[in-house]
Amino acid sequence: MNSPKGKLVIIGGAVDMGSNVSVLEHIMQPHYIKFFEKGILRRIINESAKKEGSSVEVITTASQIPELVGNEYIKAFNQLNVTHVNILHIKSREDAANPEYLDRISRADVVMFSGGDQLRLTAIFGGTQFLQILKKRYNQENFVIAGTSAGAAAASTHMIYRGQSNEALIKGEVQITAGLGFIDSVIVDTHFVQRGRIGRLLYAVATNPGILGIGLGEDAGLLITEGSMMEAIGSGLIMLVDGTNIVETNVYDVEIGDPVSIENLKVHVMSIFDKYDLDQHKMIIKKAVKVEEGVFITAQDSNDLLQ
């Protein structure tokens, strides 16, 4: 199978916008999108073929406050001199079939899914021509798909959509369903460090050891190229849970409501510029140098600057 020609960016959050946090709390946070302005969002634009001239479509379907979310994304992109930014307020499967919207995603250079409720994304876009167009372009073109929070959680073939953090290692507490399917062999959880979701990811991997669990902290993301090479971006941390070497688990023996045991899970922690080869299950740690507040470059790049 050929590797995708497009790029996938999954981000851990801080832009939840409508799920798990109240609308009032979001409105009272004037800087809730600040982590995008010079870091992750800038990287997304740099990875696009047309850079600042890119046409960007933001999909607010997951959010309960789409108009507010859309306006904030426009402001954030505008601060990066990206002015061709449009918002797709798709609220139903009927909306997803709108010929105008299909045409817009067929011409966009970057499509970004906002945060909110990932089940809204799969329920509205699953099996639609809209999703087929995105997948085809991602596989065949130099096209960027990005998602934060719910948009990241829904990006993979398998998706966590329910489960309390404090009861995650109790059989039956974590619910998994099909995601949008831009990447196979992984399952993604978001707001990972801040909401203590390690148990959810451990359980998800224990029930399917062939997939890699990805826990994205806030202001942390992965740039995925060729469908398998993952680079850490942003200032936050990323945890990877590899279950391929699990020796034993009782997840298939215990009753619903009983705790689960797992032996020999492998865990990696990634920070900015680290890479992970999904095909080889190999991590590459790179040193980063802070050149100013919020701006990092690799140690190799810093050596180049000194020469």
Side-chain angles (χ1 to χ4, degrees):
M1 184 176 178
N2 294 332
S3 300
K5 294 182 179 179
K7 299 168 184 176
L8 180 65
V9 181
I10 52 175
I11 308 151
V15 187
D16 192 337
M17 298 299 191
S19 165
N20 301 313
V21 183
S22 71
V23 173
L24 178 61
E25 189 171 352
H26 283 302
I27 293 173
M28 296 302 291
Q29 296 181 44
H31 303 298
Y32 47 49
I33 203 167
K34 65 181 180 181
F35 78 101
F36 274 135
E37 293 170 3
K38 294 183 179 178
I40 294 175
L41 194 61
R42 165 54 69 188
R43 185 62 185 272
I44 291 171
I45 295 304
N46 287 345
E47 292 296 331
S48 176
K50 295 181 182 178
K51 307 295 191 242
E52 293 177 358
S54 297
S55 172
V56 179
E57 294 286 351
V58 178
I59 300 172
T60 61
T61 302
S63 178
Q64 294 177 2
I65 46 174
E67 287 76 16
L68 175 60
V69 173
N71 289 334
E72 291 301 317
Y73 274 100
I74 290 173
K75 292 177 185 176
F77 277 112
N78 286 172
Q79 289 182 15
L80 298 176
N81 297 318
V82 180
T83 57
H84 302 294
V85 184
N86 296 296
I87 310 299
L88 287 170
H89 293 313
I90 296 173
K91 301 178 180 180
S92 66
R93 291 179 66 84
E94 183 179 2
D95 287 346
N98 186 323
E100 177 194 345
Y101 295 164
L102 298 179
D103 179 63
R104 282 166 57 177
I105 62 166
S106 296
R107 293 183 288 106
D109 303 297
V110 177
V111 166
M112 179 146 197
F113 290 89
S114 76
D117 179 355
Q118 56 263 41
L119 202 56
R120 287 183 56 82
L121 293 176
T122 56
I124 289 176
F125 292 116
T128 62
Q129 186 181 358
F130 190 100
L131 184 57
Q132 291 172 4
I133 291 172
L134 290 180
K135 286 184 175 181
K136 182 176 180 180
R137 295 198 63 202
Y138 171 64
N139 282 297
Q140 299 181 2
E141 302 177 32
N142 185 3
F143 176 60
V144 179
I145 296 177
T148 183
S149 189
S156 54
T157 300
H158 304 85
M159 181 184 80
I160 297 172
Y161 74 93
R162 181 180 176 274
Q164 295 297 321
S165 302
N166 60 342
E167 297 180 345
L169 284 170
I170 302 298
K171 185 172 181 178
E173 288 300 317
V174 177
Q175 303 295 317
I176 299 171
T177 189
L180 298 177
F182 298 122
I183 182 171
D184 295 323
S185 303
V186 304
I187 193 163
V188 181
D189 211 348
T190 57
H191 302 278
F192 190 70
V193 177
Q194 292 75 9
R195 299 184 186 175
R197 287 178 168 172
I198 179 64
R200 299 202 331 176
L201 203 59
L202 295 179
Y203 185 89
V205 173
T207 57
N208 192 341
I211 60 176
L212 180 76
I214 300 175
L216 299 169
E218 293 181 0
D219 196 22
L222 286 174
L223 166 66
I224 305 171
T225 54
E226 299 180 352
S228 61
M229 184 55 70
M230 307 190 300
E231 178 187 344
I233 58 178
S235 65
L237 294 176
I238 299 158
M239 184 173 287
L240 305 180
V241 178
D242 184 353
T244 55
N245 294 313
I246 287 178
V247 173
E248 187 59 87
T249 176
N250 64 353
V251 68
Y252 42 79
D253 286 329
V254 299
E255 300 293 330
I256 296 294
D258 287 344
V260 171
S261 303
I262 313 164
E263 180 184 0
N264 207 49
L265 275 169
K266 183 184 289 187
V267 176
H268 308 281
V269 179
M270 300 178 71
S271 59
I272 190 168
F273 298 128
D274 290 345
K275 293 187 177 182
Y276 188 86
D277 187 330
L278 187 57
D279 289 337
Q280 301 297 321
H281 286 265
K282 181 176 177 59
M283 183 169 164
I284 304 164
I285 295 179
K286 291 195 174 183
K287 293 182 179 180
V289 176
K290 185 175 181 179
V291 293
E292 62 179 88
E293 187 63 34
V295 179
F296 298 83
I297 59 176
T298 64
Q300 178 180 354
D301 291 339
S302 66
N303 290 333
D304 292 342
L305 290 174
L306 294 174
Q307 294 176 357

